[in-house]
Amino acid sequence: MPYGSRLTAEMTRRLGRECLYVPSARLALYLALRRWCRPGARVLMSPVNDDVILFVVLAAGLRPVQAPVSVWDGNIDPAAVPESTWRNVDAVLTTNLYGVPDRVVELRRRCEQLGIPLFEDVAHAIGTRVAGQPIGTFGKAAAFSLSKHVAGMAGGFLAVEDTVTRRELERLRDELLVPGRLRGDIATTLRPLARSAVRGLRLVRPVWRTMRRLGLLERDTFRMELHPRRLADCARRAPSLSAYEPWVRVDLHGFRERHGALVRGQLKLRMDRLDGALARRSVGVSLLASTAWAGRALRERTAEDGPPPLFRVPLLVQDRDALLDRLVDHGMVCGYVYDPPLDDYAGAEFVEPSPDPSAARWFASHTLPVDPLLAHKVVRALTKERVRPASPEARHLRNPRRDRDVPQAPPAPCC
């Protein structure tokens, strides 16, 4: 029986596309980039993104080109990308940040005109649709994660257009997998249960403070340490997943380990409950979209199409960094903060900077990613803290950064 066949069959049914199971979305994305992009190719992407994705692109031997983004959602703004950039990119990678869909119809049209592949990062967007079509079915390939909406802490899929391509990618996947271990499978299976227990017992604050004090978190700030000299040395070995593994494995050390039946069985049970989880997320999104902290784009989308089942709701707030620390006292650790943007984080040596970084800087520094399953709790906390909403319409584009004296909290998943 093919590896992960039961999980693959379920995802294929949902999407109507050929899928293959992988241990992580980051491995899925690496497979897609290696399959369709030659070494040295230039990939257009949003700078408001997980740094792990940057390192996956570098590991594939590619040049990340940072795009101008919408100040309302952090996704690529196709109309703001200069024509000179469009003429010189070899692929486009979406983000669907927090589950808010990219402008995939326009991006697909531009990619078709240019004859280049569109890749969809759908880690945040299982269940999101555009014009009645599932996100993940617009591009050449799409990388899905089961550690987000499914809360499995592992697993993912690569969705492609046809059976022949899927079989080719299965062979490449099997070459990159490393043997799993029973100990690792048990830890992967228990981790989601442990997180649920911490929440249920209201131990988020003491557990989080203790982990920070003991240095048990892999990141000291929103971004992992770059190690530029080591990173530059790796470029001579690219494309190579092994060379970049110290960066790609952060927060998920088993990202390329073959999962045993224990992990796959747990993930199948969680996927069977996915529709109910998506419905509960939509309810939370509806509540959060009605608040003063919701951006205009979120309110308009919710009003027009109904509340989407977002992974996180990007609220726009003043003094975001200080607020993150105060929210721990309310039992919430809000992660998935992608600040600063990747071009500010990595510099021109490793990425091509955006021609207009102002919108990305503003959005990254004012966004509070909120779990919609905690909507009521978050609204109570923000109200009690008297949090002021932020509006990009009032931002100072030429000096968009706020005071950096407030310590940054690491981007742990929201508890």
Side-chain angles (χ1 to χ4, degrees), residues 13-244:
R13 180 189 66 79
R14 286 178 173 273
L15 283 182
R17 273 201 169 190
E18 293 285 327
C19 296
L20 64 148
Y21 178 74
V22 288
S24 64
R26 58 192 74 178
L27 181 62
L29 178 58
Y30 181 80
L31 290 171
L33 295 174
R34 289 299 314 277
R35 167 61 176 76
W36 279 282
C37 295
R38 69 185 187 281
R42 294 157 50 84
V43 179
L44 186 71
M45 59 186 291
S46 167
V48 188
N49 203 337
D50 193 339
D51 42 21
V52 167
I53 301 303
L54 167 67
F55 296 118
V56 170
V57 174
L58 293 173
L62 311 177
R63 175 71 170 172
V65 177
Q66 306 306 290
V69 303
S70 165
V71 75
W72 291 102
D73 59 31
N75 286 323
I76 296 172
D77 181 356
V81 178
E83 287 301 319
S84 58
T85 299
W86 279 121
R87 291 193 297 270
N88 288 284
V89 295
D90 303 290
V92 175
L93 172 63
T94 68
T95 307
N96 300 297
L97 188 61
Y98 305 128
V100 178
D102 270 86
R103 292 146 185 84
V104 284
V105 175
E106 173 65 11
L107 290 172
R108 180 173 63 180
R109 184 182 66 81
R110 294 303 301 258
C111 287
E112 289 174 347
Q113 290 173 344
L114 296 167
I116 61 176
L118 172 66
F119 302 118
E120 297 179 79
D121 183 345
V122 201
H124 291 179
I126 286 182
T128 299
R129 304 177 76 87
V130 170
Q133 182 174 335
I135 288 290
T137 61
F138 288 84
K140 186 68 68 175
F144 288 85
S145 171
L146 294 181
S147 67
K148 308 296 189 301
H149 287 75
V150 181
M153 305 296 289
F157 299 99
L158 181 62
V160 295
E161 295 176 298
D162 59 80
T163 303
V164 173
T165 303
R166 175 181 58 78
R167 289 173 178 166
E168 177 185 341
L169 286 163
E170 283 177 344
R171 290 191 291 271
L172 178 57
R173 174 201 63 189
D174 291 344
E175 291 174 4
L176 293 171
L177 291 179
V178 298
R181 300 167 298 170
L182 179 60
R183 180 179 177 180
D185 280 0
I186 292 173
T188 299
T189 303
L190 293 180
R191 197 172 296 123
L193 303 177
R195 175 170 291 176
S196 296
V198 168
R199 290 175 178 169
L201 295 172
R202 299 183 179 181
L203 297 175
V204 170
R205 180 172 63 177
V207 169
W208 173 248
R209 302 286 194 205
T210 300
M211 290 179 69
R212 290 195 67 183
R213 244 188 327 266
L214 296 179
L216 299 178
L217 302 171
E218 288 194 87
R219 305 174 194 236
D220 293 326
T221 62
F222 300 139
R223 298 297 191 185
M224 71 178 83
E225 191 173 348
L226 189 68
H227 299 292
R229 290 187 179 179
R230 289 170 51 195
L231 193 60
D233 289 341
C234 290
R236 293 192 291 269
R237 299 168 57 189
S240 170
L241 192 58
S242 298
Y244 288 84

Side-chain angles (χ1 to χ4, degrees), residues 358-377:
S358 59
R361 288 170 175 166
W362 191 92
F363 181 83
S365 63
H366 289 85
T367 301
L368 179 71
V370 171
D371 187 342
L373 299 179
L374 303 177
H376 288 282
K377 185 176 182 179

Side-chain angles (χ1 to χ4, degrees), residues 276-308:
L278 294 177
R280 290 191 295 275
R281 286 183 176 277
S282 294
V283 172
V285 170
S286 181
L287 170 61
L288 292 167
S290 68
T291 68
W293 308 291
R296 183 185 68 197
L298 176 62
R299 289 195 298 269
E300 290 176 351
R301 176 175 173 81
T302 300
E304 292 173 3
D305 304 322

Side-chain angles (χ1 to χ4, degrees), residues 242-255:
S242 298
Y244 288 84
E245 189 157 333
W247 295 271
V248 176
R249 72 196 293 260
V250 167
D251 299 329
L252 188 61
H253 288 202
F255 78 98

